[in-house]
Structure formats: structure tokens, C-alpha cells
Amino acid sequence: MIAAVSALGMTAVLGGCGGAGSGEVTLKLVAADYGDSGANSSQKYWDNLVAEYEKAHPDVRVDVSVHSWNDVDREVKEMVAAGDAPDLAQIGAYADYAAKGELYQADELLSIPTQADFVAQLADAGEVSRTQYGMPFAASTRLLFFNKKLFAEAGLTPPTTWSELASDAAALKEEGVKYPYALPLGPEEAQAETMQWLLSGGDGYTSEVGTYGIDSPQNIRTFTWLKDELVDKGLTGPVAPGKLDRAAAFAAFARGEVGMLNGHPSLMKIAAARGVDFGMVPMPGKESSTRSAMGVADWMMAFKKNGHRREVGDFLDFVYDEKNVLAFSREYDLLPVTASASKTMSTAARDKDLAPFLEELPTAQLYPVGKTSWAQVSADIKQRIGTAFAADGDPATVLTELQKQANSEESAE
């Protein structure tokens, strides 16, 4: 989802005990890194959290290994396949493990107050067949960022409709802006930019009954407009959308080279550090501002293989304590996944910059993470969607091919 990159590793399972006769339990947690440098690596967050927990629980040790978002889901998958599942994994998808019966249910682990404190929409997204297995760990929403200086120089106001966005982009191009609208559809996070545009056109990845609807008429119209009115008119910059990754687009925005792009909260810190004066507005829609923003959640899950249900549950109650949820959210400019922390953040002066994103969360649309096929469908989108905007690309053809692949993945489950 959501922010920067990490690096995953694994530590040896100690068989549920420490030294001979000690009765000590060691839990293994694999987590993703939300930091953008060694100075704010998630490893430091977890090390501090674990030290505090272990001080109060001398019979439990927690080994945390933190690694890159580029690797973490694949690494956990390989660990599970090798019979070396961690006790806990904090990664991007849970449903495939839940469907195979490899995860504890949330209500088998958490105290009632902890489970009840999850933001309802996120808790629902953690369900497979109406049973919660995925515990939300981090969340974010997206807004349209714009460079105030570039907009002022071109005499522009922030867009609320597609036609205004295209008009603004054309004016920015006339002023010599390198990326009037940055469209990152490279393999790093193309599924996010894709979903934001599908929502702005009034549809999304799935139909009202929950089946995939990637090639719906609305989605085809949305992507056809995007290619005809932005990409083919040279309004998305010198790098082809299918070659432009989110991190590169964010870096270009921080250099003052981008007029507009979709961004999540971490972009605020990146841009501010480089002195970029920016504004944020809801994503424009076909006729007006998009009714539903895109939301992203990352997940905590607990594997049954090593047992330790009681110890895992007690540790998770600590992880989801309000002060710890707030500390993590504030460190990495993310949105809290619990109602108690959200309430605190919504009124705290120190968190006012996150308020626009927090306001979007209750109505935000999330990826269809409850589908066991979503991990593979997402990977397919990352690899293929950019080809729709090549010089000889055809959005309808690409969306139809992705729909066929999604149907195949769904029927194989």
C-alpha cells in the first residue's frame, strides 16, 4: 500500500520455548517497512515496541524481521510453503492463507475491546466468508496533490472535473511543466492509480455483487478518455505511464517538476522537506469531485502452525493499544486503524495535516482484499495496465484481457 519500501527476512523458530526448562515462548513476526531511510525504518518502531512488551512479559520474546515491500509478500509465501510459517505476518494480503485454513480467526486472538475498536469498514474488509482473519494494521487514502506555485504561474485553480483537469494539464504544459499530470502506471503500484481512476469514472474493480468487473463499459470509457485526453496529448510527462513508478513520480513532485498527481499522506513529508508548496483536493470525477476516494489497508495475520495462540493474542492486544497505534500512524503519516486512535487524531492539533485524509476514510473504497484471487489479479494489473497507454495500446483490449485473467484466477480458487 501504502508508503515506502522495506526488506524481509526470517529468524529461526525456537520450537515454542527458550532455554531448557525456561518455559519461554518466542514469537516470530515478519513485517513490512514503512520508512524511507535507515533513520526511520520500521525495525526501530518494532524494536522499541517489543522492548516495552518484553519488559512486562519476561516469558515471551518477540523476534521481528523487517524487509522491503517489494519482497515481503513473496517471502512470507515462500516461508509458508517451506513449512516455516511465522507466528505473525504484517503484509499486504491475507485471504489466500485464510481460505487454506492457515490463519487464526481474529476472535480467537483478540480481546473483545480490541476487536471492537477496529474501524468498522476496515474490519469488514478483513473478512472471508463473514469471518475476520485479516486485522488491519495501517491505512491511507488518496487525494490529488497540486503544486501551488506552478498553478499560480499558470493562473489555475484546482480541478474538480476531468475536463478541468485536462485543461489545467494543457496550461501547465504550455508553461513548460515537465509532468503536467504524473500518471504512475509502472509495476510498483499501478493497481492503486488504476483504481483511483476507475472510481473517478464511477466504477471500480468489482461489480455490485462482488464479481470482477474490470472491463465494464464505465471502466473502458474512463481509460479511453485518459489515453485520448491526457496521455496521447502529451500531458503526462516524458516517461511513458507504464514505465513510471509511484516512487519516481513522488520524487519528481518533490523536485517541483509535477503539476498534479494522486498521492497518499507520506507525500506531504517528502514534498515539504524539499520546500514544495502544495495543496490537496479530492480526485476529480467525470462530472464533479469523486464521491469515493481510494483507501488502502495493510494487514496483520496470525498463522496457526506454531500454536502460541494465547501469547499471540496478548501481544496483539498490546500492538493495538491506542498509544501504539497513534505512535505508528504519526511516525509514518498513516491513518489509524482503530476508532479510538482515529478519534484522538481527528481533534489533535499535531495531526491537522492528516485531517483531509482521515475525512476520506469512512467512505473510501478498498481493494477487494477478501478475494483469495486478489493477490494474483493485483500482480497482473501491475504488469499489464501500463500497456494500455502505449502508442499502439488499446484500453478496451487490455481491460478485457485482465478481466479474463481475473475470471481464471477466481475460478481456480
Side-chain angles (χ1 to χ4, degrees):
M1 139 183 159
I2 297 183
V5 290
S6 39
L8 164 71
M10 50 186 281
T11 53
V13 178
L14 302 185
C17 62
S22 70
E24 182 181 276
V25 167
T26 296
L27 303 178
K28 179 171 60 175
L29 165 61
V30 173
D33 194 353
Y34 292 84
D36 55 14
S37 68
N40 72 341
S41 167
S42 294
Q43 188 72 55
K44 293 189 175 183
Y45 170 82
W46 285 111
D47 287 349
N48 292 332
L49 187 79
V50 166
E52 183 180 352
Y53 181 79
E54 290 179 346
K55 185 175 181 180
H57 300 79
D59 293 333
V60 178
R61 293 184 56 80
V62 185
D63 282 339
V64 184
S65 48
V66 172
H67 290 266
S68 166
W69 268 115
N70 293 333
D71 304 322
V72 67
D73 290 276
R74 173 182 55 79
E75 295 272 0
V76 170
K77 184 176 182 179
E78 292 175 357
M79 292 168 68
V80 173
D84 189 29
D87 296 281
L88 291 156
Q90 186 271 297
I91 53 178
Y94 67 87
D96 48 346
Y97 300 117
K100 294 174 185 175
E102 295 170 332
L103 302 180
Y104 284 114
Q105 298 174 192
D107 61 8
E108 294 177 308
L109 300 165
L110 303 174
S111 68
I112 292 174
T114 298
Q115 190 174 3
D117 196 28
F118 287 129
V119 173
Q121 180 190 20
L122 300 178
D124 291 345
E127 293 182 354
V128 172
S129 301
R130 300 191 178 186
T131 299
Q132 185 181 0
Y133 296 92
M135 293 162 278
F137 183 74
S140 72
T141 54
R142 306 294 167 102
L143 292 170
L144 183 75
F145 283 66
F146 65 96
N147 184 308
K148 287 186 175 180
K149 178 175 180 289
L150 298 180
F151 265 61
E153 290 173 349
L156 303 175
T157 57
T160 61
T161 65
W162 287 358
S163 61
E164 290 175 2
L165 187 149
S167 176
D168 286 354
L172 290 166
K173 183 181 180 181
E174 284 292 320
E175 292 291 321
V177 175
K178 189 172 182 179
Y179 294 89
Y181 177 85
L183 183 64
L185 291 172
E188 180 192 354
E189 205 186 29
Q191 83 285 1
E193 184 74 12
T194 295
M195 183 170 173
Q196 188 65 77
W197 274 99
L198 298 185
L199 289 172
S200 78
D203 208 346
Y205 283 130
T206 56
S207 68
E208 291 183 358
V209 296
T211 57
Y212 285 112
I214 298 171
D215 65 344
S216 72
Q218 280 176 291
N219 290 343
I220 290 174
R221 283 196 295 269
T222 295
F223 267 41
T224 299
W225 181 92
L226 187 56
K227 185 175 191 298
D228 291 347
E229 301 300 324
L230 290 186
V231 179
D232 288 353
K233 291 184 178 180
L235 302 180
T236 55
V239 179
K243 302 291 185 182
L244 182 65
D245 281 335
R246 176 196 54 80
F250 279 18
F253 188 81
R255 293 193 299 268
E257 298 174 352
V258 176
M260 300 172 279
L261 83 170
N262 284 315
H264 50 64
S266 69
L267 181 56
M268 294 189 299
K269 183 179 291 185
I270 297 169
R274 296 291 295 272
V276 174
D277 187 13
F278 61 88
M280 301 176 297
V281 294
M283 174 67 180
K286 187 175 182 181
E287 304 297 338
S288 62
S289 295
T290 306
R291 285 177 294 176
S292 295
M294 189 192 75
V296 176
D298 299 324
W299 303 95
M300 179 74 76
M301 62 211 70
F303 288 89
K304 295 179 179 178
K305 187 175 190 321
N306 302 320
H308 306 153
R309 180 174 66 86
R310 181 179 63 81
E311 293 84 1
V312 167
D314 188 71
F315 177 63
L316 287 175
D317 280 340
F318 179 75
V319 167
Y320 286 106
D321 183 83
E322 181 184 341
K323 70 179 179 63
N324 294 327
V325 173
L326 280 171
F328 182 85
S329 301
R330 286 167 169 164
E331 175 66 28
Y332 299 107
D333 291 321
L334 295 166
L335 303 182
V337 297
T338 61
S340 59
S342 295
K343 183 178 180 180
T344 298
M345 183 174 278
S346 68
T347 58
R350 64 182 291 187
D351 300 313
K352 66 180 186 304
D353 288 345
L354 285 170
F357 297 94
L358 200 59
E359 290 168 6
E360 296 278 337
L361 188 58
T363 59
Q365 297 293 312
L366 278 71
Y367 299 132
V369 290
K371 286 181 169 292
T372 57
S373 57
W374 170 246
Q376 185 56 53
V377 171
S378 175
D380 293 340
I381 292 168
K382 289 180 183 181
Q383 293 301 319
R384 292 293 316 283
I385 197 66
T387 64
F389 301 97
D392 59 350
D394 177 52
T397 298
V398 173
L399 291 174
T400 298
E401 290 171 350
L402 285 168
Q403 176 68 32
K404 290 178 181 177
Q405 289 177 301
N407 288 341
S408 177
E409 293 294 337
E410 187 84 338
S411 62
E413 297 297 334

PDB file of all heavy atoms in Angstrom, residues 324-345:
ATOM      1  N   ASN A 324       0.011   2.963  20.962  1.00  0.00           N
ATOM      2  CA  ASN A 324       0.904   2.345  19.984  1.00  0.00           C
ATOM      3  C   ASN A 324       0.409   2.547  18.557  1.00  0.00           C
ATOM      4  O   ASN A 324       1.209   2.773  17.635  1.00  0.00           O
ATOM      5  CB  ASN A 324       1.054   0.855  20.295  1.00  0.00           C
ATOM      6  CG  ASN A 324       1.762   0.618  21.608  1.00  0.00           C
ATOM      7  OD1 ASN A 324       2.646   1.388  22.002  1.00  0.00           O
ATOM      8  ND2 ASN A 324       1.391  -0.437  22.312  1.00  0.00           N
ATOM      9  N   VAL A 325      -0.897   2.493  18.358  1.00  0.00           N
ATOM     10  CA  VAL A 325      -1.457   2.763  17.032  1.00  0.00           C
ATOM     11  C   VAL A 325      -1.168   4.203  16.620  1.00  0.00           C
ATOM     12  O   VAL A 325      -0.776   4.477  15.482  1.00  0.00           O
ATOM     13  CB  VAL A 325      -2.970   2.483  17.020  1.00  0.00           C
ATOM     14  CG1 VAL A 325      -3.593   2.927  15.692  1.00  0.00           C
ATOM     15  CG2 VAL A 325      -3.238   0.996  17.244  1.00  0.00           C
ATOM     16  N   LEU A 326      -1.330   5.127  17.562  1.00  0.00           N
ATOM     17  CA  LEU A 326      -1.044   6.532  17.266  1.00  0.00           C
ATOM     18  C   LEU A 326       0.434   6.749  16.961  1.00  0.00           C
ATOM     19  O   LEU A 326       0.786   7.486  16.030  1.00  0.00           O
ATOM     20  CB  LEU A 326      -1.466   7.413  18.437  1.00  0.00           C
ATOM     21  CG  LEU A 326      -2.954   7.747  18.547  1.00  0.00           C
ATOM     22  CD1 LEU A 326      -3.250   8.431  19.873  1.00  0.00           C
ATOM     23  CD2 LEU A 326      -3.405   8.619  17.379  1.00  0.00           C
ATOM     24  N   ALA A 327       1.295   6.118  17.741  1.00  0.00           N
ATOM     25  CA  ALA A 327       2.736   6.304  17.533  1.00  0.00           C
ATOM     26  C   ALA A 327       3.142   5.840  16.144  1.00  0.00           C
ATOM     27  O   ALA A 327       3.901   6.523  15.435  1.00  0.00           O
ATOM     28  CB  ALA A 327       3.520   5.546  18.598  1.00  0.00           C
ATOM     29  N   PHE A 328       2.640   4.688  15.709  1.00  0.00           N
ATOM     30  CA  PHE A 328       2.973   4.180  14.379  1.00  0.00           C
ATOM     31  C   PHE A 328       2.411   5.088  13.295  1.00  0.00           C
ATOM     32  O   PHE A 328       3.105   5.449  12.337  1.00  0.00           O
ATOM     33  CB  PHE A 328       2.439   2.755  14.205  1.00  0.00           C
ATOM     34  CG  PHE A 328       2.783   2.165  12.868  1.00  0.00           C
ATOM     35  CD1 PHE A 328       4.004   1.549  12.657  1.00  0.00           C
ATOM     36  CD2 PHE A 328       1.886   2.237  11.813  1.00  0.00           C
ATOM     37  CE1 PHE A 328       4.334   1.015  11.412  1.00  0.00           C
ATOM     38  CE2 PHE A 328       2.207   1.716  10.575  1.00  0.00           C
ATOM     39  CZ  PHE A 328       3.425   1.101  10.372  1.00  0.00           C
ATOM     40  N   SER A 329       1.139   5.467  13.428  1.00  0.00           N
ATOM     41  CA  SER A 329       0.492   6.299  12.414  1.00  0.00           C
ATOM     42  C   SER A 329       1.201   7.635  12.267  1.00  0.00           C
ATOM     43  O   SER A 329       1.401   8.131  11.146  1.00  0.00           O
ATOM     44  CB  SER A 329      -0.976   6.517  12.790  1.00  0.00           C
ATOM     45  OG  SER A 329      -1.668   5.285  12.900  1.00  0.00           O
ATOM     46  N   ARG A 330       1.591   8.223  13.374  1.00  0.00           N
ATOM     47  CA  ARG A 330       2.260   9.518  13.313  1.00  0.00           C
ATOM     48  C   ARG A 330       3.671   9.415  12.764  1.00  0.00           C
ATOM     49  O   ARG A 330       4.129  10.308  12.049  1.00  0.00           O
ATOM     50  CB  ARG A 330       2.264  10.136  14.711  1.00  0.00           C
ATOM     51  CG  ARG A 330       0.911  10.658  15.137  1.00  0.00           C
ATOM     52  CD  ARG A 330       0.823  10.972  16.614  1.00  0.00           C
ATOM     53  NE  ARG A 330      -0.409  11.708  16.924  1.00  0.00           N
ATOM     54  CZ  ARG A 330      -0.909  11.857  18.142  1.00  0.00           C
ATOM     55  NH1 ARG A 330      -0.273  11.303  19.185  1.00  0.00           N
ATOM     56  NH2 ARG A 330      -2.023  12.534  18.332  1.00  0.00           N
ATOM     57  N   GLU A 331       4.355   8.345  13.071  1.00  0.00           N
ATOM     58  CA  GLU A 331       5.728   8.178  12.574  1.00  0.00           C
ATOM     59  C   GLU A 331       5.748   8.086  11.057  1.00  0.00           C
ATOM     60  O   GLU A 331       6.655   8.609  10.401  1.00  0.00           O
ATOM     61  CB  GLU A 331       6.351   6.928  13.182  1.00  0.00           C
ATOM     62  CG  GLU A 331       7.745   6.592  12.650  1.00  0.00           C
ATOM     63  CD  GLU A 331       8.799   7.623  13.014  1.00  0.00           C
ATOM     64  OE1 GLU A 331       8.643   8.287  14.067  1.00  0.00           O
ATOM     65  OE2 GLU A 331       9.773   7.786  12.254  1.00  0.00           O
ATOM     66  N   TYR A 332       4.732   7.416  10.469  1.00  0.00           N
ATOM     67  CA  TYR A 332       4.779   7.133   9.038  1.00  0.00           C
ATOM     68  C   TYR A 332       3.670   7.837   8.247  1.00  0.00           C
ATOM     69  O   TYR A 332       3.415   7.482   7.103  1.00  0.00           O
ATOM     70  CB  TYR A 332       4.727   5.618   8.811  1.00  0.00           C
ATOM     71  CG  TYR A 332       5.925   4.946   9.459  1.00  0.00           C
ATOM     72  CD1 TYR A 332       5.767   4.190  10.618  1.00  0.00           C
ATOM     73  CD2 TYR A 332       7.205   5.134   8.955  1.00  0.00           C
ATOM     74  CE1 TYR A 332       6.867   3.605  11.234  1.00  0.00           C
ATOM     75  CE2 TYR A 332       8.302   4.554   9.562  1.00  0.00           C
ATOM     76  CZ  TYR A 332       8.128   3.799  10.705  1.00  0.00           C
ATOM     77  OH  TYR A 332       9.225   3.238  11.321  1.00  0.00           O
ATOM     78  N   ASP A 333       3.019   8.846   8.853  1.00  0.00           N
ATOM     79  CA  ASP A 333       1.975   9.608   8.165  1.00  0.00           C
ATOM     80  C   ASP A 333       0.910   8.695   7.575  1.00  0.00           C
ATOM     81  O   ASP A 333       0.535   8.811   6.405  1.00  0.00           O
ATOM     82  CB  ASP A 333       2.582  10.487   7.066  1.00  0.00           C
ATOM     83  CG  ASP A 333       3.412  11.626   7.624  1.00  0.00           C
ATOM     84  OD1 ASP A 333       2.992  12.203   8.643  1.00  0.00           O
ATOM     85  OD2 ASP A 333       4.471  11.927   7.060  1.00  0.00           O
ATOM     86  N   LEU A 334       0.415   7.806   8.416  1.00  0.00           N
ATOM     87  CA  LEU A 334      -0.643   6.883   8.018  1.00  0.00           C
ATOM     88  C   LEU A 334      -1.878   7.132   8.871  1.00  0.00           C
ATOM     89  O   LEU A 334      -1.836   7.882   9.852  1.00  0.00           O
ATOM     90  CB  LEU A 334      -0.162   5.439   8.158  1.00  0.00           C
ATOM     91  CG  LEU A 334       0.974   5.064   7.209  1.00  0.00           C
ATOM     92  CD1 LEU A 334       1.626   3.762   7.620  1.00  0.00           C
ATOM     93  CD2 LEU A 334       0.436   4.957   5.776  1.00  0.00           C
ATOM     94  N   LEU A 335      -2.980   6.509   8.504  1.00  0.00           N
ATOM     95  CA  LEU A 335      -4.221   6.693   9.233  1.00  0.00           C
ATOM     96  C   LEU A 335      -4.402   5.565  10.237  1.00  0.00           C
ATOM     97  O   LEU A 335      -4.125   4.395   9.929  1.00  0.00           O
ATOM     98  CB  LEU A 335      -5.399   6.721   8.261  1.00  0.00           C
ATOM     99  CG  LEU A 335      -5.323   7.774   7.159  1.00  0.00           C
ATOM    100  CD1 LEU A 335      -6.578   7.726   6.305  1.00  0.00           C
ATOM    101  CD2 LEU A 335      -5.121   9.176   7.739  1.00  0.00           C
ATOM    102  N   PRO A 336      -4.891   5.866  11.426  1.00  0.00           N
ATOM    103  CA  PRO A 336      -5.103   4.824  12.428  1.00  0.00           C
ATOM    104  C   PRO A 336      -6.170   3.832  11.981  1.00  0.00           C
ATOM    105  O   PRO A 336      -7.134   4.203  11.293  1.00  0.00           O
ATOM    106  CB  PRO A 336      -5.578   5.595  13.666  1.00  0.00           C
ATOM    107  CG  PRO A 336      -5.214   7.016  13.421  1.00  0.00           C
ATOM    108  CD  PRO A 336      -5.248   7.198  11.936  1.00  0.00           C
ATOM    109  N   VAL A 337      -6.025   2.594  12.405  1.00  0.00           N
ATOM    110  CA  VAL A 337      -6.995   1.561  12.040  1.00  0.00           C
ATOM    111  C   VAL A 337      -7.987   1.303  13.156  1.00  0.00           C
ATOM    112  O   VAL A 337      -8.874   0.458  13.012  1.00  0.00           O
ATOM    113  CB  VAL A 337      -6.280   0.248  11.662  1.00  0.00           C
ATOM    114  CG1 VAL A 337      -5.416   0.447  10.431  1.00  0.00           C
ATOM    115  CG2 VAL A 337      -5.449  -0.286  12.828  1.00  0.00           C
ATOM    116  N   THR A 338      -7.847   2.006  14.275  1.00  0.00           N
ATOM    117  CA  THR A 338      -8.789   1.840  15.377  1.00  0.00           C
ATOM    118  C   THR A 338      -9.602   3.117  15.567  1.00  0.00           C
ATOM    119  O   THR A 338      -9.123   4.226  15.300  1.00  0.00           O
ATOM    120  CB  THR A 338      -8.062   1.506  16.694  1.00  0.00           C
ATOM    121  OG1 THR A 338      -7.185   2.577  17.046  1.00  0.00           O
ATOM    122  CG2 THR A 338      -7.274   0.217  16.562  1.00  0.00           C
ATOM    123  N   ALA A 339     -10.825   2.932  16.066  1.00  0.00           N
ATOM    124  CA  ALA A 339     -11.709   4.073  16.266  1.00  0.00           C
ATOM    125  C   ALA A 339     -11.176   5.008  17.345  1.00  0.00           C
ATOM    126  O   ALA A 339     -11.272   6.230  17.225  1.00  0.00           O
ATOM    127  CB  ALA A 339     -13.110   3.574  16.636  1.00  0.00           C
ATOM    128  N   SER A 340     -10.594   4.440  18.399  1.00  0.00           N
ATOM    129  CA  SER A 340     -10.096   5.276  19.494  1.00  0.00           C
ATOM    130  C   SER A 340      -8.957   6.168  19.030  1.00  0.00           C
ATOM    131  O   SER A 340      -8.941   7.377  19.315  1.00  0.00           O
ATOM    132  CB  SER A 340      -9.645   4.403  20.667  1.00  0.00           C
ATOM    133  OG  SER A 340      -8.623   3.499  20.263  1.00  0.00           O
ATOM    134  N   ALA A 341      -8.013   5.608  18.272  1.00  0.00           N
ATOM    135  CA  ALA A 341      -6.900   6.411  17.777  1.00  0.00           C
ATOM    136  C   ALA A 341      -7.367   7.416  16.721  1.00  0.00           C
ATOM    137  O   ALA A 341      -6.863   8.539  16.654  1.00  0.00           O
ATOM    138  CB  ALA A 341      -5.813   5.506  17.209  1.00  0.00           C
ATOM    139  N   SER A 342      -8.341   7.034  15.911  1.00  0.00           N
ATOM    140  CA  SER A 342      -8.874   7.953  14.906  1.00  0.00           C
ATOM    141  C   SER A 342      -9.536   9.147  15.564  1.00  0.00           C
ATOM    142  O   SER A 342      -9.384  10.293  15.108  1.00  0.00           O
ATOM    143  CB  SER A 342      -9.888   7.234  14.010  1.00  0.00           C
ATOM    144  OG  SER A 342      -9.271   6.217  13.246  1.00  0.00           O
ATOM    145  N   LYS A 343     -10.277   8.899  16.636  1.00  0.00           N
ATOM    146  CA  LYS A 343     -10.938   9.994  17.344  1.00  0.00           C
ATOM    147  C   LYS A 343      -9.916  10.965  17.908  1.00  0.00           C
ATOM    148  O   LYS A 343     -10.070  12.184  17.803  1.00  0.00           O
ATOM    149  CB  LYS A 343     -11.818   9.426  18.460  1.00  0.00           C
ATOM    150  CG  LYS A 343     -12.596  10.479  19.218  1.00  0.00           C
ATOM    151  CD  LYS A 343     -13.490   9.852  20.280  1.00  0.00           C
ATOM    152  CE  LYS A 343     -14.270  10.914  21.048  1.00  0.00           C
ATOM    153  NZ  LYS A 343     -15.135  10.304  22.094  1.00  0.00           N
ATOM    154  N   THR A 344      -8.862  10.422  18.506  1.00  0.00           N
ATOM    155  CA  THR A 344      -7.805  11.274  19.050  1.00  0.00           C
ATOM    156  C   THR A 344      -7.137  12.087  17.959  1.00  0.00           C
ATOM    157  O   THR A 344      -6.936  13.303  18.089  1.00  0.00           O
ATOM    158  CB  THR A 344      -6.753  10.419  19.783  1.00  0.00           C
ATOM    159  OG1 THR A 344      -7.384   9.748  20.880  1.00  0.00           O
ATOM    160  CG2 THR A 344      -5.615  11.271  20.304  1.00  0.00           C
ATOM    161  N   MET A 345      -6.809  11.434  16.838  1.00  0.00           N
ATOM    162  CA  MET A 345      -6.117  12.125  15.757  1.00  0.00           C
ATOM    163  C   MET A 345      -6.988  13.203  15.122  1.00  0.00           C
ATOM    164  O   MET A 345      -6.482  14.246  14.699  1.00  0.00           O
ATOM    165  CB  MET A 345      -5.659  11.109  14.706  1.00  0.00           C
ATOM    166  CG  MET A 345      -4.876  11.717  13.566  1.00  0.00           C
ATOM    167  SD  MET A 345      -4.190  10.499  12.415  1.00  0.00           S
ATOM    168  CE  MET A 345      -2.711   9.992  13.291  1.00  0.00           C
TER     169      MET A 345
END
